[in-house]
Amino acid sequence: MRLALDLFTIVAVTLGAIFFLAGTVGLLRFPDTLTRLHALTKADNLGLGLVVLGLLPQATAPLGWIGLIAVWLLALLSGATVGQLLAEAVRPPEWDQTRTPDAPPVGHPNAPEASSHD
Amino acid sequence: MTSALVVDAALVLLVLGLALWITAARAAYGAAVGFVAYGLLLTLVWVRLAAVDVAMTEAALGSGLTGLLLLGAAARLAPYEADEHRRRPGTVLRVLVGVLCAAIAAGLAAVVLLLPDPAPSQALAVAAHLPATGLGNPVTGVLMAYRAVDTLLESVVLVPALIGVWSLSTEMGWGGRPGFLTPCRSGSALPLLARVLPPFGILVGIHLVWAGADDPGGKFQGAAVLAAMWILVMVAGLREPPPVSDRLMRFLLVVGPLCFIGIGAAGIRLAGAFLAYPEAYAKPLILAIEAGLTISVTAVLGLLLAGPPVPEPQYQRQSRRRS
């Protein structure tokens, strides 16, 4: 049983490391910011997820498990938000003009009520 | 043993390489981004050296908050940067600066390399007397009991630092709200993060302060996390920074140092020396000081990043332009 769990750890962490490697290669080689962000967030989400999954059998239950999973969830949350913010910052302006000009989507910078933030 | 050596060697090479890259970087913004990564690498180095308290301080303050301050400064200096590059200093000055920097590095290296082996240390004396403080974390014990004057000064010095930032305000801006953190555009993902993350962040920050008595952690690390949550809420536009004339906020800025000085002065009567604790109450007193300092350090760090106050009309204009 111990051996099987150790093997599981090795396999899952290795898979996670491969995702990090692929994400890094993508970050360096992809042509523009949006595709690079895609590579980066994949590494964060799946790579870190697999590393955490692989480390679960090695951690003490239940506090260690909760801690590891909380780390992954928080990384997911911040990764998704930062990805959105960066994508928003580099989005070419002509993308906005292809939308129907008279009805901008809710929360859009040009939406009528957008100036009132609480 | 050898695999640990390989990791350590790789870390050292990365730190040195990144340090060279930051020094050589032309653009201030790139150098500031490199500085944040450099801080994270240093954090790993401190963890490898088993100095977890220092590692957490480096991650939270050295890399996180200082990095944010530098990024803000780089963004503000960007319009003048091309001008600055044209007026680069002469060869003599640059050689002089290089020689002086090399002399400092060589001096530090000599001091470290010429230490007697084993290095002189008070660690055993601290460990022997730690039970008297009621604390389990020797780092907190040293900071709050044996080197309390240092800790007092480094918590007091934050207040003059903030006064320095506020002094950059124009005369019309005095009494207004700090103007560096203009809220993000509405409809961005940041307000969601600023609503979801603070409950966890505040919990982690308070936990770091509380756990600091017996485990790695402490007021500076905890306060940095708390301040980060406050800044997140301000940048997301959910709350405005308080005006610098706000009495309650000014009280919170100094309550920690006042508490520290008050308890320290009481020590003259009760324990025979400034900043000495009566032995029976050492731990509760230290916890009270840590709690007060946490509040003050959080407020100072948040307001340092919020910048000097600007006149109210300008503040409103900045907020509107972004939204």
Side-chain angles (χ1 to χ4, degrees):
Chain A
M1 191 57 201
R2 191 67 250 171
L3 182 71
L5 286 179
D6 285 352
L7 273 178
F8 173 76
T9 298
I10 292 171
V11 170
V13 172
T14 309
L15 273 177
I18 291 174
F19 267 100
F20 273 110
L21 184 68
T24 312
V25 171
L27 179 69
L28 294 175
R29 302 291 306 223
F30 277 170
D32 60 51
T33 308
L34 290 178
T35 46
R36 282 188 200 136
L37 271 181
H38 168 79
L40 195 62
T41 43
K42 281 296 160 295
D44 270 2
N45 297 354
L46 282 168
L48 185 62
L50 281 167
V51 170
V52 164
L53 191 69
L55 289 180
L56 281 183
Q58 313 294 328
T60 49
L63 276 180
W65 295 356
I66 297 173
L68 278 171
I69 292 173
V71 165
W72 181 53
L73 288 179
L74 287 174
L76 274 186
L77 179 66
S78 62
T81 316
V82 172
Q84 286 279 336
L85 291 175
L86 285 176
E88 196 177 296
V90 301
R91 184 175 55 182
E94 59 267 20
W95 286 16
D96 293 342
Q97 287 154 16
T98 56
R99 290 215 185 89
T100 48
D102 47 312
V106 178
H108 189 272
N110 297 333
E113 76 281 4
S115 63
S116 64
H117 54 76
D118 48 338
Chain B
M1 190 61 214
T2 39
S3 63
L5 198 65
V6 169
V7 172
D8 290 346
L11 258 181
V12 168
L13 287 179
L14 269 175
V15 166
L16 286 178
L18 192 55
L20 279 177
W21 185 85
I22 295 169
T23 317
R26 299 282 303 202
Y29 191 78
V33 172
F35 179 81
V36 174
Y38 179 77
L40 290 178
L41 283 176
L42 272 192
T43 304
L44 291 180
V45 171
W46 286 118
V47 171
R48 289 292 305 153
L49 291 172
V52 184
D53 288 86
V54 189
M56 290 202 290
T57 314
E58 175 62 38
L61 293 162
S63 173
L65 278 163
T66 316
L68 268 179
L69 280 172
L70 288 177
L71 282 176
R76 275 167 188 276
L77 290 176
Y80 315 103
E81 214 173 343
D83 225 26
E84 202 60 31
H85 277 310
R86 264 199 300 280
R87 290 185 295 138
R88 63 188 309 195
T91 317
V92 178
L93 182 61
R94 279 189 289 155
V95 168
L96 190 66
V97 169
V99 167
L100 286 177
C101 288
I104 290 175
L108 283 174
V111 167
V112 172
L113 291 175
L114 295 179
L115 275 179
D117 198 21
S121 169
Q122 306 281 345
L124 285 178
V126 168
H129 294 101
L130 193 63
T133 62
L135 299 168
N137 180 2
V139 177
T140 310
V142 169
L143 288 179
M144 296 305 294
Y146 308 118
R147 311 284 309 257
V149 179
D150 289 1
T151 310
L152 173 63
L153 289 180
E154 76 188 28
S155 58
V156 170
V157 81
L158 284 170
V159 178
L162 182 64
I163 294 173
V165 169
W166 283 358
S167 312
L168 298 175
S169 117
T170 57
E171 194 170 345
M172 299 299 294
W174 185 245
R177 294 176 193 278
F180 272 17
L181 302 176
T182 43
C184 62
R185 293 194 297 185
S186 61
S188 91
L190 205 53
L192 175 71
L193 187 70
R195 285 191 175 92
V196 176
L197 200 57
F200 302 103
I202 291 168
L203 187 68
V204 168
I206 294 174
H207 171 76
L208 277 176
V209 179
W210 180 251
D214 293 318
D215 292 302
K219 59 199 166 303
F220 279 105
Q221 295 94 327
V225 175
L226 293 173
M229 293 303 122
W230 188 28
I231 292 159
L232 181 61
V233 168
M234 288 193 286
V235 172
L238 300 180
R239 283 281 180 280
E240 294 181 332
V244 296
S245 51
D246 191 296
R247 293 252 165 228
L248 173 66
M249 190 203 63
R250 288 191 182 186
F251 172 72
L252 292 182
L253 287 177
V254 295
V255 64
L258 281 183
C259 178
F260 206 160
I261 294 170
I263 290 177
I268 299 175
R269 267 190 72 84
L270 299 176
F274 182 57
L275 289 172
Y277 311 113
E279 198 159 314
Y281 302 105
K283 186 167 183 188
L285 286 177
I286 288 176
L287 285 182
I289 295 172
E290 292 253 293
L293 282 181
T294 305
I295 296 172
S296 291
V297 174
T298 303
V300 172
L301 293 179
L303 287 168
L304 274 179
L305 276 166
V310 295
E312 194 63 17
Q314 188 187 338
Y315 184 83
Q316 298 296 343
R317 204 163 52 242
Q318 281 175 351
S319 305
R320 261 204 309 279
R321 196 171 58 226
R322 291 295 191 86
S323 58

